PDB file of all heavy atoms in Angstrom:
ATOM      1  N   TRP D  22     -50.222  99.107-128.917  1.00 38.00           N
ATOM      2  CA  TRP D  22     -50.010 100.384-128.210  1.00 38.00           C
ATOM      3  C   TRP D  22     -51.246 100.790-127.417  1.00 38.00           C
ATOM      4  O   TRP D  22     -51.184 101.215-126.283  1.00 38.00           O
ATOM      5  CB  TRP D  22     -49.638 101.446-129.252  1.00 38.00           C
ATOM      6  CG  TRP D  22     -49.305 102.772-128.632  1.00 38.00           C
ATOM      7  CD1 TRP D  22     -48.453 103.028-127.615  1.00 38.00           C
ATOM      8  CD2 TRP D  22     -49.852 104.036-128.997  1.00 38.00           C
ATOM      9  NE1 TRP D  22     -48.391 104.359-127.327  1.00 38.00           N
ATOM     10  CE2 TRP D  22     -49.257 105.014-128.175  1.00 38.00           C
ATOM     11  CE3 TRP D  22     -50.773 104.451-129.984  1.00 38.00           C
ATOM     12  CZ2 TRP D  22     -49.550 106.358-128.276  1.00 38.00           C
ATOM     13  CZ3 TRP D  22     -51.061 105.798-130.080  1.00 38.00           C
ATOM     14  CH2 TRP D  22     -50.455 106.733-129.227  1.00 38.00           C
ATOM     15  N   MET D  34     -54.598 103.169-111.852  1.00 38.00           N
ATOM     16  CA  MET D  34     -55.783 103.278-110.993  1.00 38.00           C
ATOM     17  C   MET D  34     -55.700 102.316-109.832  1.00 38.00           C
ATOM     18  O   MET D  34     -56.073 102.632-108.700  1.00 38.00           O
ATOM     19  CB  MET D  34     -57.044 103.012-111.815  1.00 38.00           C
ATOM     20  CG  MET D  34     -57.353 104.109-112.831  1.00 38.00           C
ATOM     21  SD  MET D  34     -58.769 103.717-113.848  1.00 38.00           S
ATOM     22  CE  MET D  34     -60.039 103.675-112.617  1.00 38.00           C
ATOM     23  N   LYS D  54     -57.676 111.775 -75.484  1.00 85.00           N
ATOM     24  CA  LYS D  54     -57.736 110.922 -76.673  1.00 85.00           C
ATOM     25  C   LYS D  54     -58.119 111.719 -77.901  1.00 85.00           C
ATOM     26  O   LYS D  54     -58.654 111.182 -78.864  1.00 85.00           O
ATOM     27  CB  LYS D  54     -58.692 109.744 -76.463  1.00 85.00           C
ATOM     28  CG  LYS D  54     -58.240 108.751 -75.400  1.00 85.00           C
ATOM     29  CD  LYS D  54     -58.951 107.410 -75.535  1.00 85.00           C
ATOM     30  CE  LYS D  54     -58.434 106.631 -76.708  1.00 85.00           C
ATOM     31  NZ  LYS D  54     -59.009 105.261 -76.788  1.00 85.00           N
ATOM     32  N   GLN D  64     -43.061 108.347 -94.626  1.00 90.00           N
ATOM     33  CA  GLN D  64     -42.844 109.706 -95.149  1.00 90.00           C
ATOM     34  C   GLN D  64     -43.956 110.124 -96.115  1.00 90.00           C
ATOM     35  O   GLN D  64     -43.706 110.792 -97.124  1.00 90.00           O
ATOM     36  CB  GLN D  64     -41.486 109.794 -95.841  1.00 90.00           C
ATOM     37  CG  GLN D  64     -40.287 109.526 -94.953  1.00 90.00           C
ATOM     38  CD  GLN D  64     -40.132 110.582 -93.860  1.00 90.00           C
ATOM     39  OE1 GLN D  64     -40.155 111.796 -94.144  1.00 90.00           O
ATOM     40  NE2 GLN D  64     -39.975 110.150 -92.628  1.00 90.00           N
ATOM     41  N   HIS D  90     -42.678 116.354 -87.312  1.00 87.00           N
ATOM     42  CA  HIS D  90     -41.430 116.728 -86.627  1.00 87.00           C
ATOM     43  C   HIS D  90     -40.611 115.481 -86.336  1.00 87.00           C
ATOM     44  O   HIS D  90     -41.092 114.558 -85.673  1.00 87.00           O
ATOM     45  CB  HIS D  90     -41.747 117.465 -85.328  1.00 87.00           C
ATOM     46  CG  HIS D  90     -40.531 117.901 -84.553  1.00 87.00           C
ATOM     47  ND1 HIS D  90     -39.646 118.857 -85.025  1.00 87.00           N
ATOM     48  CD2 HIS D  90     -40.061 117.518 -83.351  1.00 87.00           C
ATOM     49  CE1 HIS D  90     -38.690 119.035 -84.139  1.00 87.00           C
ATOM     50  NE2 HIS D  90     -38.914 118.218 -83.113  1.00 87.00           N
ATOM     51  N   GLY D  92     -39.585 112.764 -87.885  1.00 88.00           N
ATOM     52  CA  GLY D  92     -40.074 111.438 -88.205  1.00 88.00           C
ATOM     53  C   GLY D  92     -41.362 111.039 -87.521  1.00 88.00           C
ATOM     54  O   GLY D  92     -41.746 109.872 -87.557  1.00 88.00           O
ATOM     55  N   ASN D 140     -62.913 123.128 -91.298  1.00 53.00           N
ATOM     56  CA  ASN D 140     -62.324 122.138 -90.409  1.00 53.00           C
ATOM     57  C   ASN D 140     -60.856 121.879 -90.656  1.00 53.00           C
ATOM     58  O   ASN D 140     -60.205 121.198 -89.874  1.00 53.00           O
ATOM     59  CB  ASN D 140     -63.072 120.804 -90.556  1.00 53.00           C
ATOM     60  CG  ASN D 140     -64.414 120.846 -89.863  1.00 53.00           C
ATOM     61  OD1 ASN D 140     -64.687 121.759 -89.097  1.00 53.00           O
ATOM     62  ND2 ASN D 140     -65.248 119.870 -90.141  1.00 53.00           N
ATOM     63  N   ASP D 156     -68.221 116.720 -83.310  1.00 47.00           N
ATOM     64  CA  ASP D 156     -68.730 115.872 -82.227  1.00 47.00           C
ATOM     65  C   ASP D 156     -70.164 115.434 -82.504  1.00 47.00           C
ATOM     66  O   ASP D 156     -70.903 115.131 -81.577  1.00 47.00           O
ATOM     67  CB  ASP D 156     -68.687 116.622 -80.894  1.00 47.00           C
ATOM     68  CG  ASP D 156     -67.314 116.559 -80.263  1.00 47.00           C
ATOM     69  OD1 ASP D 156     -66.496 115.741 -80.721  1.00 47.00           O
ATOM     70  OD2 ASP D 156     -67.073 117.332 -79.333  1.00 47.00           O
ATOM     71  N   LEU D 222     -37.642 130.536 -42.952  1.00 91.00           N
ATOM     72  CA  LEU D 222     -37.331 131.804 -42.288  1.00 91.00           C
ATOM     73  C   LEU D 222     -35.995 131.686 -41.574  1.00 91.00           C
ATOM     74  O   LEU D 222     -35.840 130.887 -40.640  1.00 91.00           O
ATOM     75  CB  LEU D 222     -38.439 132.153 -41.282  1.00 91.00           C
ATOM     76  CG  LEU D 222     -39.889 132.121 -41.808  1.00 91.00           C
ATOM     77  CD1 LEU D 222     -40.862 132.479 -40.696  1.00 91.00           C
ATOM     78  CD2 LEU D 222     -40.052 133.068 -42.985  1.00 91.00           C
ATOM     79  N   GLN D 231     -33.675 128.761 -37.421  1.00 90.00           N
ATOM     80  CA  GLN D 231     -34.399 128.613 -38.680  1.00 90.00           C
ATOM     81  C   GLN D 231     -35.777 128.022 -38.421  1.00 90.00           C
ATOM     82  O   GLN D 231     -35.926 127.128 -37.587  1.00 90.00           O
ATOM     83  CB  GLN D 231     -33.649 127.714 -39.667  1.00 90.00           C
ATOM     84  CG  GLN D 231     -32.523 128.394 -40.431  1.00 90.00           C
ATOM     85  CD  GLN D 231     -32.011 127.523 -41.561  1.00 90.00           C
ATOM     86  OE1 GLN D 231     -32.033 126.299 -41.475  1.00 90.00           O
ATOM     87  NE2 GLN D 231     -31.530 128.149 -42.622  1.00 90.00           N
ATOM     88  N   ASN D 244     -64.991 126.712 -62.726  1.00 96.00           N
ATOM     89  CA  ASN D 244     -64.368 127.506 -63.779  1.00 96.00           C
ATOM     90  C   ASN D 244     -65.410 128.257 -64.604  1.00 96.00           C
ATOM     91  O   ASN D 244     -66.333 127.654 -65.157  1.00 96.00           O
ATOM     92  CB  ASN D 244     -63.532 126.585 -64.686  1.00 96.00           C
ATOM     93  CG  ASN D 244     -62.730 127.373 -65.702  1.00 96.00           C
ATOM     94  OD1 ASN D 244     -62.454 128.559 -65.519  1.00 96.00           O
ATOM     95  ND2 ASN D 244     -62.341 126.713 -66.783  1.00 96.00           N
ATOM     96  N   THR D 251     -59.541 134.623 -70.798  1.00 96.00           N
ATOM     97  CA  THR D 251     -59.380 134.562 -69.348  1.00 96.00           C
ATOM     98  C   THR D 251     -60.356 133.550 -68.751  1.00 96.00           C
ATOM     99  O   THR D 251     -61.396 133.227 -69.347  1.00 96.00           O
ATOM    100  CB  THR D 251     -59.622 135.935 -68.698  1.00 96.00           C
ATOM    101  OG1 THR D 251     -60.960 136.384 -69.000  1.00 96.00           O
ATOM    102  CG2 THR D 251     -58.619 136.947 -69.210  1.00 96.00           C
ATOM    103  N   GLY D 258     -62.274 126.060 -49.593  1.00 97.00           N
ATOM    104  CA  GLY D 258     -61.400 124.956 -49.222  1.00 97.00           C
ATOM    105  C   GLY D 258     -61.001 124.991 -47.772  1.00 97.00           C
ATOM    106  O   GLY D 258     -61.631 125.655 -46.937  1.00 97.00           O
ATOM    107  N   ASN D 263     -48.108 123.866 -41.208  1.00 94.00           N
ATOM    108  CA  ASN D 263     -47.259 122.999 -40.394  1.00 94.00           C
ATOM    109  C   ASN D 263     -45.924 123.711 -40.218  1.00 94.00           C
ATOM    110  O   ASN D 263     -45.228 123.998 -41.199  1.00 94.00           O
ATOM    111  CB  ASN D 263     -47.068 121.651 -41.095  1.00 94.00           C
ATOM    112  CG  ASN D 263     -46.354 120.647 -40.219  1.00 94.00           C
ATOM    113  OD1 ASN D 263     -45.339 120.952 -39.621  1.00 94.00           O
ATOM    114  ND2 ASN D 263     -46.897 119.441 -40.167  1.00 94.00           N
ATOM    115  N   SER D 265     -42.090 124.027 -38.311  1.00 90.00           N
ATOM    116  CA  SER D 265     -41.004 123.323 -37.629  1.00 90.00           C
ATOM    117  C   SER D 265     -39.887 124.317 -37.315  1.00 90.00           C
ATOM    118  O   SER D 265     -39.357 124.971 -38.223  1.00 90.00           O
ATOM    119  CB  SER D 265     -40.464 122.183 -38.510  1.00 90.00           C
ATOM    120  OG  SER D 265     -39.332 121.591 -37.920  1.00 90.00           O
ATOM    121  N   GLN D 277     -37.702 135.068 -22.832  1.00 82.00           N
ATOM    122  CA  GLN D 277     -37.425 135.038 -24.266  1.00 82.00           C
ATOM    123  C   GLN D 277     -37.870 133.705 -24.883  1.00 82.00           C
ATOM    124  O   GLN D 277     -38.435 133.676 -25.974  1.00 82.00           O
ATOM    125  CB  GLN D 277     -35.940 135.259 -24.528  1.00 82.00           C
ATOM    126  CG  GLN D 277     -35.585 135.255 -26.016  1.00 82.00           C
ATOM    127  CD  GLN D 277     -34.110 135.488 -26.260  1.00 82.00           C
ATOM    128  OE1 GLN D 277     -33.363 135.875 -25.363  1.00 82.00           O
ATOM    129  NE2 GLN D 277     -33.674 135.246 -27.501  1.00 82.00           N
ATOM    130  N   LYS D 289     -48.870 128.520 -36.533  1.00 92.00           N
ATOM    131  CA  LYS D 289     -49.626 127.279 -36.768  1.00 92.00           C
ATOM    132  C   LYS D 289     -51.119 127.577 -36.730  1.00 92.00           C
ATOM    133  O   LYS D 289     -51.659 127.949 -35.688  1.00 92.00           O
ATOM    134  CB  LYS D 289     -49.282 126.244 -35.704  1.00 92.00           C
ATOM    135  CG  LYS D 289     -47.812 125.848 -35.670  1.00 92.00           C
ATOM    136  CD  LYS D 289     -47.541 124.869 -34.527  1.00 92.00           C
ATOM    137  CE  LYS D 289     -46.085 124.485 -34.448  1.00 92.00           C
ATOM    138  NZ  LYS D 289     -45.796 123.545 -33.331  1.00 92.00           N
ATOM    139  N   ASN D 319     -50.887 135.201 -54.582  1.00 96.00           N
ATOM    140  CA  ASN D 319     -49.660 134.821 -55.262  1.00 96.00           C
ATOM    141  C   ASN D 319     -49.739 135.126 -56.743  1.00 96.00           C
ATOM    142  O   ASN D 319     -50.751 135.608 -57.256  1.00 96.00           O
ATOM    143  CB  ASN D 319     -49.345 133.330 -55.024  1.00 96.00           C
ATOM    144  CG  ASN D 319     -50.449 132.428 -55.574  1.00 96.00           C
ATOM    145  OD1 ASN D 319     -51.242 132.820 -56.417  1.00 96.00           O
ATOM    146  ND2 ASN D 319     -50.509 131.200 -55.084  1.00 96.00           N
TER     147      ASN D 319
END
Side-chain angles (χ1 to χ4, degrees):
W22 184 50
M34 291 176 64
K54 294 198 74 174
Q64 298 295 310
H90 180 66
N140 285 347
D156 277 347
L222 309 180
Q231 279 191 329
N244 187 22
T251 59
N263 188 312
S265 174
Q277 181 180 348
K289 300 177 181 179
N319 61 20

